[in-house]
Amino acid sequence: METIPSILEERLKAAVEDPGPTPLSITSASDSRFGDYQSNAAMLLAKLRKSNPRLVAQQILDRLQVADICSSVEIAGAGFLNFRLREDWLQERVSQMKADPRLGVPSPLRPLGMVIDFSSPNVAKPMHVGHIRSTILGDSLARIAAFIGHNVVRDNHIGDWGTQFGMLLLGWKTILDRSALEQDPLLEMERIYKNVSARCRDDIAVLEKARHELVLLQTGDPENLLLWKEMIRLSQSQFDTIYGRLGVRFDVTLGESFYNERLKPVVEELKASRIARESDGAICVFSDGSHSQEEDVFLIKDKDGWRDNPAIVLKSDGAANYMTTDLATLQYRIETWHPDEIVYVTDGRQQLHFRQMFSIFRRWKPEAAATVRLSHVWFGSILGDDGRPFKTRSGETVRLADLLDEAEERSFAQVSERNPALPEAERREIARIIGIGAVKYADLLPHRQGDYMFSWERMLSFQGNTAPYLQNAYVRIRSIFRKLAEAGEAGEAWTPGAPLRLENGAEIALGKRLLEFGEVLPQVLQDHRPNTLANYLYELANTFHAFYEACPVLKSEGDQRASRLELCDVSARMLKTGLGLLGIEVPEKM
Ligand code: ARG
C-alpha cells in the first residue's frame, strides 16, 4: 500500500506548474484541529519565485484535485496547506490495511542489499552489558529492514584475533585451572587474561613471553593454533546461549581472523597508491587536504592549533590492527554481497575509527565506495542510578547472562504475585517474555546517541512507556476475544472480516493511528532509530485505550459490534507485529 503522504504528494505534484527541485512534501499536521496533514510547499515555491506564499498556495489549490480523498483543503498562516481527510475514504484505507499482511507498509521501490554488522563481541571475554546495545539495536534494525522487504545479511564480526591472544596463550599454558574452565569457560579465560596482563605491566620478562606466544600463533604454530581454536569454540558456545535467550540470529559469523590473508595486500595497495606512508616506523594515512580543517578526520585541534591525527594501518612492529582488518572486511563485503548499505552498530567511542576508515576507503576504492552507503550507527552508555557507568554492587562490569537472569527473576516475582494460581512453568514462560522484553525495550526507547539510566523499577513497570505496558495492552485486547469464545455466544461469536464503520471520533482517531504504521517504519531505517517505532507503539496503545474507554465493544450490537471487534483485532495484530520488530515477544496472559 502507498502511504497517505505519498498519495497526497503525487496529487500536489500534479497541481504545481514547474515545481523544479522544490520538495513537495506532506507531513502529519502539527495541530489536528486544523487538519490531518499539512504541506509547506507553497512557501518554498514562493521563496524561489519571489512571490507571495498565500498567492502561490491559492494557485495550487485552484488546480489541486483531491475531492475523492479530502473533505477540505485550507490555506493557513503564512501559506501552509492543511488537508483534512474524508471519513469514508479513511474507512476504506483502514479496511485495506487490515486485509494487508504488511499492515500498510509500502514495498520499497527497489529492495536494498544491506549488511548489518552488530553484536561483534570479543572472544575469551564474557559478553557484558556493553554488548547488549549493539546486539539489540542491530537485531531490531535487521528485523525492520527484512520486514520492509530489503535483503539483509546479519554479520557477527567477532573479535577473534589480536594481541590479547599472546597473554591468553601464556596464561593457558601456565596458570589455567581446568575445573574452573569446565564450570565457566569465559570466567576462567577472563581470569587468566587479567592475571597475565597485570603481570605484563610490571614485568618485562612476562611481556616478552606473551609476545613470543603471539608470534608463534601468527606464524602458524600447531599447538597454539589448536588452543586458539579451542578458546573460540568455548566463547562461541556461550555467545550462542545468550543469542538464543535474546532470540537473535546471524547469517554469517566471520571473525576478524577470517581476514588475516587480506591484511598485507591492503597495506601494500595503500602504500602503492600513496594513500599511506611510513612515519616513525609505522604505516599511516594522513590528511590529503581535500577537506576543511574542521571536517578533516586526520587532523585534530589542540592548544597549539591543528596537528596531524593519522590512522595507523601497520604498527611499527609489523602487525596489522583493527583499522587494517576493517578495511579488508569492507572490501570483502562489497565483493561478496554488493550491498547498497553497510551498517556498523557500535558504541560512540568508535566514531573516529569509523570516520577515518570510511574516508580511507573512499580514497582507496572511490568507485566501489560510490555504490554503497556506509553508516556508523553509534550509541551512548548505560548508566547506573548514580549516573556512572552501570556496574555491579561490588564494582564489576555486569555480565549479560546475569542481567538476563535477574530480569526474569524479578519479573517472575511480579507474575507470581498477580497470578498465584497459574502453574509454575507457565509463570516462568510469561516472566521470560516480560523480563527479556523489558530489558530490550528500555534499551531501544531512548534516543540511541544519548546515555540512559538503567532502572529495574522503571522498565518492569506496567505504567508509562514500557514493554510490560505494551504487552499488557495486547493481552487486554486478546482477553476480549477469549471472553467472547468462553461465553460461546451462538451466532454472535466473532467472524473475522466484518466491514469497518468508523463513526465515533475515537474510532476515527484509532483508524488514523493505525495507518501511520506504514509511514513510521521506513523512517526508522532512514536514521537507524528504532525508538521511532517504540514511541509509535506507545501512541498506538494510548489511542487504543481511549477508543476502548469511549466505545463499548462487547456491549454494543450488530454491525457496530462487529466493526469494533475488527478494530480490536487489527490493533492487537499491529502491537504484536511492532513489538516483534523490536525483537520483543508478547504473552497471551500476564
Ligand atoms: N569487536 C569490537 C568491540 O567489541 C566491535 C566490532 C565492530 N565491528 C567492526 N567491523 N569494527 O568493540
Side-chain angles (χ1 to χ4, degrees), residues 66-87:
V66 288
D68 52 332
I69 303 177
C70 297
S71 56
S72 71
V73 187
E74 281 164 4
I75 303 173
F80 277 105
L81 288 167
N82 286 339
F83 301 79
R84 189 178 296 284
L85 301 177
R86 283 173 59 146
E87 285 169 10

Side-chain angles (χ1 to χ4, degrees), residues 117-122 131 157-159 256 322 326 329 333 344-347 350 353-354 357:
D117 170 329
F118 71 105
S119 195
S120 308
N122 297 323
H131 289 110
H157 188 72
I158 55 171
E256 293 180 14
Y322 192 49
D326 255 332
T329 306
R333 286 175 177 163
Y344 299 81
V345 190
T346 84
D347 76 66
Q350 299 197 27
H353 166 76
F354 282 103
M357 203 266 280

Side-chain angles (χ1 to χ4, degrees), residues 117-152:
D117 170 329
F118 71 105
S119 195
S120 308
N122 297 323
V123 164
K125 292 184 187 165
M127 275 175 101
H128 57 79
V129 49
H131 289 110
I132 200 174
R133 300 209 78 181
S134 173
T135 309
I136 291 175
L137 265 166
D139 177 56
S140 173
L141 291 171
R143 286 170 186 263
I144 293 169
F147 184 87
I148 289 178
H150 300 307
N151 301 315
V152 182

